[in-house]
């Protein structure tokens, strides 16, 4: 039998899973209509509302993050509706495809991959929509493909000023890493997925739905069955689910949310911020260039541009030698960037290890010297400590 290699997962999902959560996952399944299971649904729903900072329903769907985003779109909109889609990366691009697939009229607001979307472009389009034709603004908060975070706080203010348009937001790599006060920013649909900041394996997705979104739901005519959110809302009154949910992932979710409550939102956000700073500042000391603009670095993922070497072989060296798995670039960015995931169950030791592994791999290639590595680690220490 092959000996399992001890490795460290530093990709932006799936993310590492704590032992407490793995144990919950390994329990014997129970009936999904039992009282015990209803108690789990009750507890996870309350804790999801806490994590999402909302009084809105937070519904749990068995499916990955894309299921929740698709559900948000098809439950609030109708064929031919005009929507704005923000696109500055692979996920933004996905929501354009979904919207077009369902026959929506898509107006894109784009930014170069690696740059944040310009909130003023949203303001202009929304302010000039005198007939209130725009039914929704669809947008990715933390664009995982590039490591850019978009200014959702400002953009959500412009959406609110429009009054009619709904916000449908992919917060898959921001919830659980960054402050997303759903009620304060009056976000209508917020979608996320279990394998990211929630510290559990892939398979569940979450969607919060505002009062305004439920009103839009009454008019929505796009086809839906498994993802019909009305049936999830109705079942939730009973702490239940319309179909057979992934019972064991629900055990895991319950445990992970308890851990997050013990840690507290402020500590969770600060930890991600410290880790982001440590990695990005250390990278600079190693003469590396950050791919995302400095003002818009995502708290959950750091993209590094490899200007004069192949990112894929670099990533492979790090995995072979140090057992740290990093993510590559997608599409035209393949070979040009690598991405360090620092979302969820990541600690300071992981950060120090990945910086050391990157430094030593550059050293072997004669791209940095001893002094650079030392400086990178001291820089990291400074940010890890506060
Ligand atoms: C991971 C991710 C998703 C969801 O992708 P799935 O593969 O469906 O889980 C959506 N948006 C972003 C920004 C992501 O990082």
């Amino acid at each position: 039998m092959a000996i399992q290699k001890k490795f460290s997962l530093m990709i932006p999902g799936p993310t590492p899973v704590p032992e407490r959560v793995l144990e919950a996952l390994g329990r014997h399944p129970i009936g999904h209509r039992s009282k015990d299971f209803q108690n789990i649904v009750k507890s996870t729903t309350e804790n999801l509302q806490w994590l999402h900072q909302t009084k809105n329903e937070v519904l749990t769907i068995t499916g990955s993050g894309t299921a929740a985003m698709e559900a948000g779109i098809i439950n609030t909109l109708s064929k031919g509706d005009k929507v704005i889609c923000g696109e500055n990366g692979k996920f933004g691009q996905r929501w354009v495809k979904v919207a077009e697939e369902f026959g929506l009229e898509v107006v894109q607001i784009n930014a170069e991959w690696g740059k944040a979307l310009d909130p003023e472009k949203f303001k202009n389009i929304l302010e000039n929509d005198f007939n209130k034709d725009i039914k929704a603004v669809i947008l990715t908060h933390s664009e995982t493909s590039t490591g850019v975070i978009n200014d959702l706080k400002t953009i959500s203010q412009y959406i609110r000023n429009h009054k009619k348009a709904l916000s449908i937001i992919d917060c898959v790599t921001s919830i659980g890493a960054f402050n997303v006060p759903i009620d304060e920013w009056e976000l209508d649909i917020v979608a996320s997925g279990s394998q990211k900041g929630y510290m559990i394996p892939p398979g569940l997705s979450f969607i919060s739905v505002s009062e305004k979104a439920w009103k839009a739901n009454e008019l929505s005519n796009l086809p839906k069955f498994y993802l019909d959110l009305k049936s999830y809302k109705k079942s939730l009154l009973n702490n239940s689910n319309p179909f057979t949910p992934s019972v064991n992932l629900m055990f895991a979710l319950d445990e992970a949310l308890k851990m997050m409550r013990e840690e507290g939102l402020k500590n969770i956000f600060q930890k991600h911020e410290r880790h982001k700073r440590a990695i990005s500042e250390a990278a600079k000391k190693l003469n590396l260039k950050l791919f995302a603009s400095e003002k818009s670095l995502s708290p959950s993922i750091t993209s590094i541009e490899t200007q004069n070497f192949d990112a894929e072989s670099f990533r492979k060296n790090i995995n072979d030698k140090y057992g740290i798995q990093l993510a590559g670039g997608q599409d035209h960015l393949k070979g040009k960037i690598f991405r360090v995931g620092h979302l969820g169950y990541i600690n300071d030791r992981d950060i120090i290890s990945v910086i050391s592994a990157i430094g030593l791999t550059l050293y072997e290639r004669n791209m940095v010297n001893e002094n650079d590595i030392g400086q990178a680690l001291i820089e990291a220490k400074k940010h890890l400590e506060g």
Side-chain angles (χ1 to χ4, degrees):
M1 201 177 77
I3 295 168
Q4 194 185 345
K5 206 169 141 194
K6 180 172 174 181
F7 70 93
S8 164
L9 198 54
M10 293 192 81
I11 62 174
T15 61
V17 178
E19 283 67 19
R20 258 173 80 176
V21 176
L22 288 172
E23 279 166 19
L25 200 62
R27 269 162 40 201
H28 203 285
I30 59 175
H32 64 293
R33 303 290 178 219
S34 65
K35 184 80 197 137
D36 284 346
F37 193 71
Q38 282 174 318
N39 287 335
I40 296 213
V41 174
K42 185 164 185 289
S43 144
T44 55
T45 302
E46 282 168 12
N47 286 334
L48 284 169
Q49 285 174 313
W50 164 81
L51 177 66
H52 290 230
Q53 305 184 63
T54 184
K55 294 195 174 63
N56 295 335
E57 283 92 0
V58 184
L59 307 168
T60 301
I61 298 170
T62 307
S64 76
T66 303
M69 268 308 274
E70 180 165 320
I73 292 170
I74 64 178
N75 278 274
T76 54
L77 298 167
S78 297
K79 207 171 168 67
D81 276 355
K82 184 169 172 178
V83 298
I84 297 179
C85 277
E87 185 276 319
N88 57 337
K90 189 84 181 158
F91 287 100
Q93 216 174 45
R94 182 179 294 177
W95 313 134
V96 170
K97 277 192 202 145
V98 174
E100 285 175 346
E101 190 62 34
F102 283 99
L104 304 178
E105 183 195 332
V106 176
V107 178
Q108 290 191 41
I109 292 181
N110 308 88
E112 198 186 319
W113 289 23
K115 302 259 174 348
L117 294 164
D118 178 3
E120 294 310 297
K121 291 191 178 165
F122 289 83
K123 181 172 188 254
N124 286 340
I125 295 192
L126 289 162
E127 276 185 356
N128 289 306
D129 179 33
F130 302 110
N131 297 330
K132 303 288 175 194
D133 288 330
I134 298 166
K135 300 292 185 261
V137 175
I138 300 171
L139 166 79
T140 303
H141 188 198
S142 162
E143 182 43 88
T144 311
S145 63
T146 61
V148 162
I149 191 154
N150 288 309
D151 183 359
L152 179 57
K153 185 179 182 190
T154 305
I155 297 171
S156 69
Q157 183 60 56
Y158 299 144
I159 303 173
R160 261 179 285 169
N161 293 347
H162 180 275
K163 299 236 162 32
K164 261 296 201 259
L166 296 172
S167 45
I168 301 180
I169 316 293
D170 168 350
C171 287
V172 178
T173 50
S174 59
I175 293 265
F178 189 79
N179 189 27
V180 188
I182 291 183
D183 287 355
E184 190 187 318
W185 294 355
E186 293 175 44
L187 303 173
D188 295 302
I189 298 279
V190 170
S192 57
S194 59
Q195 79 275 29
K196 305 292 175 94
Y198 297 79
M199 310 187 291
I200 70 176
L204 296 180
S205 56
F206 312 102
I207 180 166
S208 76
V209 186
S210 72
E211 221 23 75
K212 188 171 157 192
W214 285 121
K215 288 219 174 73
N217 173 254
E218 288 165 22
L219 304 173
S220 160
N221 70 9
L222 293 174
K224 45 201 164 268
F225 182 81
Y226 186 76
L227 294 178
D228 186 345
L229 294 180
K230 269 204 301 287
S231 62
Y232 289 82
K233 186 186 186 188
K234 190 163 160 246
S235 297
L236 199 60
L237 292 172
N238 232 346
N239 290 314
S240 190
N241 194 287
F243 313 105
T244 313
S246 175
V247 169
N248 288 58
L249 282 174
M250 291 294 290
F251 294 158
L253 174 65
D254 195 30
E255 195 59 37
L257 289 169
K258 283 177 182 153
M259 287 179 67
M260 291 174 98
R261 279 202 95 140
E262 286 162 19
E263 191 172 356
L265 281 184
K266 210 172 129 214
N267 290 334
I268 294 174
F269 301 154
Q270 280 175 353
K271 177 182 67 191
H272 285 84
E273 181 64 25
R274 285 190 294 108
H275 288 171
K276 171 188 94 176
R277 288 238 181 91
I279 292 194
S280 55
E281 293 303 321
K284 288 190 221 160
K285 296 283 181 196
L286 294 170
N287 309 324
L288 293 169
K289 186 170 180 292
L290 301 177
F291 178 67
S293 12
E294 194 85 26
K295 298 187 305 289
S296 313
L297 298 177
S298 169
S300 44
I301 176 149
T302 300
S303 293
I304 290 168
E305 193 172 342
T306 54
Q307 292 160 299
N308 43 9
F309 60 97
D310 173 40
E312 291 303 291
S313 72
F314 189 74
R315 224 157 53 81
K316 187 172 181 307
N317 283 167
I318 289 186
N319 190 22
D320 291 348
K321 210 153 195 170
Y322 303 106
I324 302 177
Q325 296 183 10
L326 303 175
Q330 291 161 292
D331 293 353
H332 64 278
L333 296 177
K334 197 172 174 77
K336 302 214 160 59
I337 65 169
F338 67 89
R339 297 174 298 149
V340 185
H342 35 91
L343 175 59
Y345 189 54
I346 294 287
N347 65 11
D348 291 6
R349 184 183 62 195
D350 295 318
I351 302 295
I352 288 294
S353 305
V354 77
I355 292 167
S356 306
I358 292 171
L360 293 174
T361 307
L362 290 169
Y363 179 76
E364 264 175 17
R365 295 171 172 221
N366 294 318
M367 294 172 73
V368 294
N369 60 33
E370 294 88 334
N371 189 36
D372 297 325
I373 297 177
Q375 287 207 8
L377 287 169
I378 296 296
E379 186 68 20
K381 171 179 155 65
K382 215 162 78 193
H383 295 282
L384 289 175
E385 287 172 1

